[in-house]
Short mmCIF file of all heavy atoms in Angstrom, two decimals:
data_model
loop_
_atom_site.label_atom_id
_atom_site.label_comp_id
_atom_site.label_asym_id
_atom_site.label_seq_id
_atom_site.Cartn_x
_atom_site.Cartn_y
_atom_site.Cartn_z
N CYS A 265 141.11 53.93 63.46
CA CYS A 265 140.23 53.33 62.48
C CYS A 265 140.08 51.93 62.59
O CYS A 265 141.18 51.27 62.76
CB CYS A 265 140.68 53.88 61.14
SG CYS A 265 139.55 53.58 59.73
N ARG A 266 138.87 51.40 62.21
CA ARG A 266 138.71 49.97 62.36
C ARG A 266 137.65 49.46 61.38
O ARG A 266 136.49 49.96 61.40
CB ARG A 266 138.33 49.44 63.78
CG ARG A 266 138.19 48.00 64.02
CD ARG A 266 139.61 47.30 63.74
NE ARG A 266 139.52 45.92 63.80
CZ ARG A 266 139.70 45.26 64.99
NH1 ARG A 266 139.96 45.91 66.23
NH2 ARG A 266 139.64 43.89 65.05
N TRP A 267 138.00 48.60 60.40
CA TRP A 267 136.97 48.06 59.60
C TRP A 267 136.21 46.99 60.34
O TRP A 267 136.68 46.22 61.01
CB TRP A 267 137.58 47.44 58.31
CG TRP A 267 138.10 48.46 57.31
CD1 TRP A 267 139.48 48.83 57.22
CD2 TRP A 267 137.39 49.09 56.37
NE1 TRP A 267 139.52 49.76 56.22
CE2 TRP A 267 138.32 49.98 55.69
CE3 TRP A 267 136.03 49.02 55.92
CZ2 TRP A 267 137.89 50.72 54.58
CZ3 TRP A 267 135.68 49.96 54.99
CH2 TRP A 267 136.54 50.72 54.22
N LEU A 268 134.87 46.97 60.12
CA LEU A 268 133.99 46.04 60.85
C LEU A 268 133.41 44.98 59.96
O LEU A 268 132.91 43.97 60.56
CB LEU A 268 132.79 46.89 61.42
CG LEU A 268 133.31 48.05 62.36
CD1 LEU A 268 131.95 48.76 62.79
CD2 LEU A 268 134.07 47.62 63.52
N ARG A 269 133.65 45.05 58.66
CA ARG A 269 133.04 44.07 57.68
C ARG A 269 133.70 44.31 56.33
O ARG A 269 134.33 45.21 56.08
CB ARG A 269 131.60 44.06 57.59
CG ARG A 269 130.96 45.33 57.07
CD ARG A 269 129.54 45.08 56.46
NE ARG A 269 129.63 44.31 55.37
CZ ARG A 269 128.66 43.45 54.97
NH1 ARG A 269 127.57 43.45 55.65
NH2 ARG A 269 128.90 42.62 53.92
N ASN A 270 133.56 43.28 55.50
CA ASN A 270 134.01 43.29 54.20
C ASN A 270 132.97 43.95 53.40
O ASN A 270 131.80 43.47 52.99
CB ASN A 270 134.37 41.86 53.67
CG ASN A 270 135.00 41.95 52.26
OD1 ASN A 270 135.11 42.97 51.64
ND2 ASN A 270 135.41 40.72 51.81
N VAL A 271 133.33 45.09 52.83
CA VAL A 271 132.27 45.92 51.97
C VAL A 271 132.08 45.26 50.65
O VAL A 271 131.27 45.77 49.82
CB VAL A 271 132.78 47.36 51.84
CG1 VAL A 271 132.84 48.06 53.17
CG2 VAL A 271 134.16 47.40 51.13
N HIS A 272 132.84 44.21 50.33
CA HIS A 272 132.60 43.74 48.88
C HIS A 272 131.77 42.54 48.95
O HIS A 272 131.60 41.80 47.92
CB HIS A 272 134.02 43.22 48.34
CG HIS A 272 135.06 44.33 48.16
ND1 HIS A 272 134.77 45.41 47.27
CD2 HIS A 272 136.19 44.67 48.81
CE1 HIS A 272 135.81 46.23 47.31
NE2 HIS A 272 136.66 45.85 48.24
N ASP A 273 131.08 42.29 50.05
CA ASP A 273 130.10 41.21 50.26
C ASP A 273 128.99 41.43 49.26
O ASP A 273 128.67 42.62 49.02
CB ASP A 273 129.56 41.01 51.61
CG ASP A 273 130.68 40.49 52.54
OD1 ASP A 273 131.70 39.92 52.02
OD2 ASP A 273 130.51 40.51 53.82
N ASN A 274 128.27 40.41 48.85
CA ASN A 274 127.15 40.59 47.97
C ASN A 274 125.98 41.23 48.69
O ASN A 274 125.39 40.62 49.67
CB ASN A 274 126.77 39.18 47.40
CG ASN A 274 125.60 39.36 46.29
OD1 ASN A 274 125.26 40.49 46.05
ND2 ASN A 274 125.14 38.23 45.97
N MET A 275 125.55 42.43 48.36
CA MET A 275 124.48 43.16 49.04
C MET A 275 123.34 43.50 48.08
O MET A 275 122.60 44.34 48.35
CB MET A 275 125.07 44.41 49.66
CG MET A 275 126.24 44.19 50.64
SD MET A 275 125.66 43.52 52.15
CE MET A 275 124.72 44.86 52.77
N ASN A 276 123.36 42.84 46.93
CA ASN A 276 122.30 43.20 45.98
C ASN A 276 120.88 42.83 46.32
O ASN A 276 120.03 43.66 46.09
CB ASN A 276 122.66 42.45 44.58
CG ASN A 276 124.06 43.00 44.10
OD1 ASN A 276 124.37 44.24 44.30
ND2 ASN A 276 124.77 42.14 43.36
N SER A 277 120.67 41.70 46.94
CA SER A 277 119.32 41.18 47.19
C SER A 277 119.05 41.55 48.58
O SER A 277 119.93 41.55 49.55
CB SER A 277 119.10 39.82 46.86
OG SER A 277 119.91 38.94 47.69
N SER A 278 117.70 41.66 48.92
CA SER A 278 117.32 42.01 50.22
C SER A 278 117.56 40.73 51.17
O SER A 278 117.88 40.92 52.34
CB SER A 278 115.81 42.27 50.25
OG SER A 278 114.99 41.29 49.78
N ASN A 279 117.40 39.58 50.66
CA ASN A 279 117.62 38.32 51.44
C ASN A 279 119.17 38.30 51.85
O ASN A 279 119.52 37.93 52.92
CB ASN A 279 117.18 37.12 50.71
CG ASN A 279 115.68 36.98 50.56
OD1 ASN A 279 114.98 37.51 51.43
ND2 ASN A 279 115.16 36.27 49.52
N ASN A 280 119.98 38.46 50.85
CA ASN A 280 121.40 38.45 51.22
C ASN A 280 121.83 39.55 52.22
O ASN A 280 122.64 39.25 53.08
CB ASN A 280 122.13 38.68 49.79
CG ASN A 280 122.28 37.53 48.90
OD1 ASN A 280 121.99 36.33 49.52
ND2 ASN A 280 122.55 37.74 47.77
N PHE A 281 121.27 40.64 52.01
CA PHE A 281 121.50 41.69 53.05
C PHE A 281 121.10 41.23 54.43
O PHE A 281 121.83 41.46 55.46
CB PHE A 281 120.89 43.02 52.55
CG PHE A 281 121.17 44.18 53.55
CD1 PHE A 281 122.35 44.98 53.39
CD2 PHE A 281 120.34 44.48 54.56
CE1 PHE A 281 122.62 45.98 54.39
CE2 PHE A 281 120.62 45.51 55.53
CZ PHE A 281 121.78 46.24 55.37
N ASN A 282 119.79 40.89 54.59
CA ASN A 282 119.25 40.51 56.01
C ASN A 282 120.04 39.43 56.43
O ASN A 282 120.40 39.51 57.78
CB ASN A 282 117.75 40.22 55.79
CG ASN A 282 116.95 41.45 55.50
OD1 ASN A 282 117.48 42.57 55.60
ND2 ASN A 282 115.64 41.16 54.99
N ASN A 283 120.28 38.44 55.70
CA ASN A 283 120.96 37.28 56.26
C ASN A 283 122.49 37.73 56.77
O ASN A 283 122.98 37.20 57.76
CB ASN A 283 121.12 36.07 55.24
CG ASN A 283 119.78 35.53 55.00
OD1 ASN A 283 118.88 35.55 55.81
ND2 ASN A 283 119.55 34.94 53.87
N SER A 284 123.09 38.50 55.85
CA SER A 284 124.47 38.93 56.22
C SER A 284 124.41 39.80 57.40
O SER A 284 125.32 39.77 58.29
CB SER A 284 124.99 39.74 55.00
OG SER A 284 126.22 40.47 55.29
N TYR A 285 123.45 40.62 57.65
CA TYR A 285 123.35 41.47 58.74
C TYR A 285 123.20 40.72 60.00
O TYR A 285 123.98 40.84 60.99
CB TYR A 285 122.12 42.45 58.54
CG TYR A 285 121.95 43.29 59.77
CD1 TYR A 285 122.63 44.59 59.83
CD2 TYR A 285 121.11 42.92 60.84
CE1 TYR A 285 122.35 45.48 60.87
CE2 TYR A 285 120.87 43.78 61.89
CZ TYR A 285 121.57 45.04 61.89
OH TYR A 285 121.39 45.76 62.99
N ILE A 286 122.26 39.71 59.93
CA ILE A 286 121.93 38.94 61.19
C ILE A 286 123.07 38.08 61.63
O ILE A 286 123.38 38.02 62.81
CB ILE A 286 120.63 38.08 60.90
CG1 ILE A 286 119.45 39.08 60.89
CG2 ILE A 286 120.37 37.21 62.17
CD1 ILE A 286 118.20 38.41 60.39
N GLU A 287 123.73 37.44 60.65
CA GLU A 287 124.71 36.42 60.85
C GLU A 287 126.04 37.11 61.36
O GLU A 287 126.76 36.61 62.26
CB GLU A 287 125.03 35.65 59.67
CG GLU A 287 123.93 34.77 59.18
CD GLU A 287 124.14 34.11 57.83
OE1 GLU A 287 125.27 34.34 57.27
OE2 GLU A 287 123.32 33.34 57.37
N GLY A 288 126.37 38.36 60.81
CA GLY A 288 127.63 38.97 61.23
C GLY A 288 127.58 40.05 62.24
O GLY A 288 128.63 40.59 62.58
N LEU A 289 126.40 40.43 62.65
CA LEU A 289 126.19 41.59 63.60
C LEU A 289 126.91 41.42 64.96
O LEU A 289 127.58 42.28 65.36
CB LEU A 289 124.66 41.88 63.87
CG LEU A 289 124.47 43.09 64.80
CD1 LEU A 289 124.95 44.41 64.10
CD2 LEU A 289 122.94 43.29 65.03
N ASP A 290 126.75 40.16 65.44
CA ASP A 290 127.54 39.93 66.68
C ASP A 290 129.04 40.15 66.61
O ASP A 290 129.63 40.72 67.50
CB ASP A 290 127.21 38.50 67.17
CG ASP A 290 125.73 38.37 67.73
OD1 ASP A 290 125.14 39.45 67.95
OD2 ASP A 290 125.34 37.18 67.83
N ASN A 291 129.55 39.70 65.42
CA ASN A 291 131.04 39.88 65.29
C ASN A 291 131.30 41.38 65.14
O ASN A 291 132.28 41.81 65.70
CB ASN A 291 131.44 39.10 64.05
CG ASN A 291 132.89 39.28 63.71
OD1 ASN A 291 133.74 38.98 64.70
ND2 ASN A 291 133.29 39.80 62.65
#
């Protein structure tokens, strides 16, 4: 089992989600 991200990140707004996705996807 391996966690790939912190599930407690702010995901409420669409901008936060898209920015979080793009910035952290490579990692």
Side-chain angles (χ1 to χ4, degrees):
C265 188
R266 184 67 181 267
W267 287 97
L268 306 174
R269 62 159 295 150
N270 186 355
V271 293
H272 299 295
D273 289 346
N274 184 9
M275 301 291 291
N276 294 328
S277 68
S278 60
N279 288 334
N280 285 341
F281 180 84
N282 291 345
N283 292 335
S284 172
Y285 178 89
I286 295 170
E287 292 172 2
L289 182 60
D290 289 343
N291 179 56

